[in-house]
Structures are given as structure tokens and as C-alpha cells.
Amino acid sequence: MNKTILVTGGLGYIGSHTCVELLNNNYNVIVIDNLSNSKESVKDNIEAITGKKIIFYNVSVCDMEKIRDIFRKSKIDAVIHFAGYKAVGESVMKPLLYYQNNIDSTLVLCQVMNEFNCKKLIFSSSATVYGNNTNVPFREDYKVGGTTNPYGTSKLFIEHILNDLYISDNEWGITILRYFNPIGAHKSGLIGENPNGIPNNLMPYISKVAVGELKELSIFGNDYDTVDGTGVRDYIHVVDLANGHVKALSKLLDNKGVSIYNLGTGKGYSVLEIVNAFIKENKINIPYKIVSRRSGDVAVSYADSTKAKKELGWMPIYGIEDMVRDSYNFYRNNKND
Ligand code: UFG
């Protein structure tokens, strides 16, 4: 029998790519998404890419009764929990909203999972939990903390909550995945990252400049101690990231305990290197200007990803050219969408 996986936030950027890879690996997929930062058409696109159907509920993960109903209707083997607010700047302005939504949803989910004896959970965490640590590459056993915004702190708190949950009940299997910087899109151009409004993140911003929706990119600082003075990040193709979830799931289904993995390539690129790769690969100019540093940014962040490679047998296969090409391809297909 194929296993059934509940994916919260499954119509979002990382969630939708993970649904595709789950379906490609013969899992049944149930998605919960309240469409707060996604569109219902993503469901059709996931189905068009894979030729398979998913079950979709337009429900908030904070709605305990509705989550119970979903567990009553289907036998769920494991949950991948993507749903959550993720805009760093907004989280500074609306801390209560971020703490309430991100933490409440996780508490509701875990409580209902407990009631239905479904104790396998993969949680979307972030490299942001390493805070302002400068000792790169980041390893999973580094001390976490020192987060610089409520979004990051909500991820950190949830990691602590999940650890405590396991301590209270050793039947749980919990995998915490710390993402670095996902970019790129499915090669079909049907799903990708399409934030509402002006993007906060680098690749959506560059892509919107490329398709003429924004005038020029502002590069936040060129006086960091890096190869060219601009910030360095570990960019990872979202399809590689999605496949990391499939590998983590297959291990989790047979194991208990809390496991933490970085999902990054282990290689850092500067903002200027990304801009130049985008220009070269897509043969399109990206006008930019250098402005002052963005508050809360660290100079350099990249993963030590040997643990995921060794224990999950996971290996990112896409390079920077694939990432910038697939990002642009998605934006060209979804201009003004
Ligand atoms: N940048 C610019 N101009 C922009 C946007 C970004 O120069 O318009 C620079 C940033 O200063 C940084 C790099 O591009 O050096 C990457 O910035 P992003 O906003 O794309 O990504 P961050 O590394 O700041 O944040 C990402 C995720 C967060 C997560 C964090 C963890 O978006 O959710 O990684 O380190 F918390």
C-alpha cells in the first residue's frame, strides 16, 4: 500500500515542488493550504506535471476541528509541515501575528497527530536558527539562537517545542530540515515562487527586474568581508530541496527520535555572482545599484551538508546555471500573474 502524506502549505513554493516529488515517488498526497500566500491553480499545475491527483483542503492549520476532520477521513502516515508566515521584515512589524500563526499551527497539528496516533513529522526550519554565528559552514550540532527577527525566532521556538515533544513521548519520529536559500523552479515553468507584492528575496526580485516589472535591483551592501563585498548565501535549487524531503521521509518512516539536517549545497555565492550568472545564462541585462546594508543580514551563510548526504543519501544535482535559468523561465511564463 502506498503511504499517505499530509502536506501543510502544499501549494506554496517549497510545498508544491515537494508534492510533485512525493507523487513521482508514489506517495498519496493530501494538501492543506489556506491560500494566504498561494493560489488554488497550483493544485492543477502539480497534477498536470505529475499526471496524478491530490486531495486539497482550503483550511488553516490553526483550525483544530477541521484538522481533526481531515485525520478522521484518511489514514495519514506522516506529515510535512510547511505552512507558516515567512516574510522577515513583516515579522518585525507584526510579531504577535507571526508567533501566533507559526506556533499555534504547529501546536494544533501536533496535538491532532497525537490524538490519531500519527507520530511522524517533518518540519520546515531555516538556516536562520544559526543566528549571527560567523563560523561557516554551519553544522547541525552548532549552538542555535541569536535570531534577529520574529520569523526566525518562531522557527527556533518550534524546534525547541518539537524536541520537548519527543522527550515526552519517544514514539515520535521528527525530522527538522534547515533550509538555506531555495531558488529556481520546476523546469516545466508551471510552479515556482510567486510572492505577492514587492519581493523581499533576491531571486524573485532579480526575476521581476528581468521581466520588466521592477526597474532595478538594489544590492544591500558591498562592504562585507566577502569575495566582492556583497553578501554570500548557499543557494539551492528548489527541486533538490524537494527531493531532500523525499529522502528524509523515507528514513523517517522507519525511525523514531529527532533528527536535524541542513539542506544546502555547501557552496556560497555572492549577490554579484548570482546577478552575473543570471545575466550570462539568460542573456538579459539586470540594472542594479549598491545601497546600504539591510539590517539583520549576515555577511556569509552556507551549509555543511555532509550529514544529509551521509545519512539520507541525498545529493543536490543542480548548479547555479540551472537555478537562474529555471527561475527566469518561471517568471516569463507567469508574468503579472
Ligand atoms: N539581497 C539584495 N537585494 C535584494 C534582496 C536581497 O542585495 O533585493 C541580498 C541580501 O542582502 C542577501 C542575499 O541577497 O545578501 C540573499 O537575500 P534573501 O532575502 O534572498 O535571503 P536571506 O538569506 O536574507 O533569507 C533567507 C530566507 C529566510 C531565511 C534566511 C536564513 O528568505 O527565510 O534565508 O538565513 F530566514
Side-chain angles (χ1 to χ4, degrees):
M1 262 284 274
N2 293 345
K3 301 271 187 196
T4 298
I5 312 305
L6 179 69
V7 183
T8 76
L11 301 189
Y13 175 45
I14 305 173
S16 59
H17 288 84
T18 301
C19 287
V20 166
E21 300 309 322
L22 289 170
L23 292 164
N24 285 342
N25 283 274
N26 296 320
Y27 290 102
N28 303 320
V29 172
I30 301 175
V31 165
I32 306 178
D33 198 306
N34 67 354
L35 306 180
S36 69
N37 192 23
S38 60
K39 296 198 174 77
E40 198 162 350
S41 57
V42 173
K43 170 183 182 283
D44 304 330
N45 290 336
I46 293 169
E47 294 180 341
I49 291 168
T50 57
K52 293 182 178 172
K53 292 278 177 201
I54 58 180
I55 298 175
F56 167 58
Y57 295 100
N58 180 349
V59 158
S60 161
V61 187
C62 296
D63 189 334
M64 189 177 279
E65 260 324 302
K66 291 199 173 136
I67 303 298
R68 281 199 180 106
D69 277 346
I70 294 167
F71 274 81
R72 266 185 213 112
K73 282 192 192 119
S74 310
K75 155 125 186 26
I76 292 165
D77 295 289
V79 178
I80 307 183
H81 181 35
F82 291 104
Y85 292 152
K86 61 167 191 175
V88 171
E90 187 185 49
S91 79
V92 177
M93 307 305 296
K94 301 177 181 169
L96 300 182
L97 181 75
Y98 270 67
Y99 287 123
Q100 189 194 12
N101 182 69
N102 292 0
I103 295 176
D104 249 20
S105 58
T106 309
L107 295 176
V108 165
L109 184 65
C110 291
Q111 185 167 327
V112 176
M113 288 175 71
N114 210 18
E115 285 169 20
F116 287 83
N117 201 30
C118 168
K119 296 185 179 175
K120 304 280 183 197
L121 176 68
I122 295 182
F123 174 63
S124 293
S125 190
S126 165
T128 197
V129 300
Y130 294 111
N132 45 19
N133 192 333
T134 51
N135 192 11
V136 286
F138 298 137
R139 272 205 343 241
E140 291 87 346
D141 57 2
Y142 278 12
K143 196 168 171 331
V144 291
T147 44
T148 53
N149 56 77
Y151 155 77
T153 308
S154 75
K155 293 289 178 190
L156 183 68
F157 286 165
I158 295 168
E159 288 202 5
H160 289 314
I161 290 169
L162 296 177
N163 270 298
D164 288 342
L165 177 61
Y166 175 71
I167 290 169
S168 75
D169 176 0
N170 292 173
E171 287 303 304
W172 278 85
I174 297 169
T175 301
I176 292 169
L177 300 178
R178 293 180 180 155
Y179 311 148
F180 282 70
N181 289 58
I183 60 171
H186 190 267
K187 63 179 177 337
S188 63
L190 288 174
I191 54 172
E193 184 174 25
N194 208 350
N196 299 326
I198 304 214
N200 301 303
N201 298 115
L202 181 64
M203 189 50 62
Y205 206 106
I206 295 178
S207 304
K208 288 206 175 214
V209 172
V211 297
E213 283 178 34
L214 293 170
K215 202 163 102 307
E216 67 179 347
L217 170 73
S218 295
I219 295 183
F220 300 136
N222 66 349
D223 55 352
Y224 288 108
D225 184 14
T226 62
V227 57
D228 54 26
T230 65
V232 167
R233 297 288 182 276
D234 185 335
Y235 296 93
I236 174 163
H237 197 294
V238 66
V239 173
D240 278 330
L241 191 70
N243 276 313
H245 292 72
V246 177
K247 295 279 191 192
L249 176 66
S250 128
K251 185 171 164 92
L252 176 67
L253 287 169
D254 299 323
N255 284 284
K256 294 171 185 168
V258 178
S259 306
I260 304 178
Y261 298 100
N262 287 336
L263 293 183
T265 65
K267 179 163 173 39
Y269 287 96
S270 74
V271 177
L272 274 174
E273 285 172 331
I274 294 291
V275 171
N276 288 328
F278 194 101
I279 293 172
K280 187 163 175 237
E281 183 67 24
N282 296 316
K283 301 181 182 53
I284 183 154
N285 192 34
I286 302 294
Y288 67 82
K289 62 177 179 205
I290 308 289
V291 301
S292 48
R293 293 179 179 192
R294 181 172 67 178
S295 94
D297 273 355
V298 294
V300 180
S301 163
Y302 61 93
D304 180 330
S305 50
T306 45
K307 188 176 174 204
K309 287 172 185 158
K310 203 165 126 218
E311 294 187 14
L312 302 178
W314 169 77
M315 188 65 96
I317 58 173
Y318 295 108
I320 202 69
E321 293 80 13
D322 303 300
M323 300 185 211
V324 295
R325 185 195 59 235
D326 294 342
S327 289
Y328 183 45
N329 181 45
F330 174 74
Y331 270 85
R332 266 187 312 185
N333 276 342
N334 296 274
K335 210 176 155 194
N336 295 323
D337 199 4

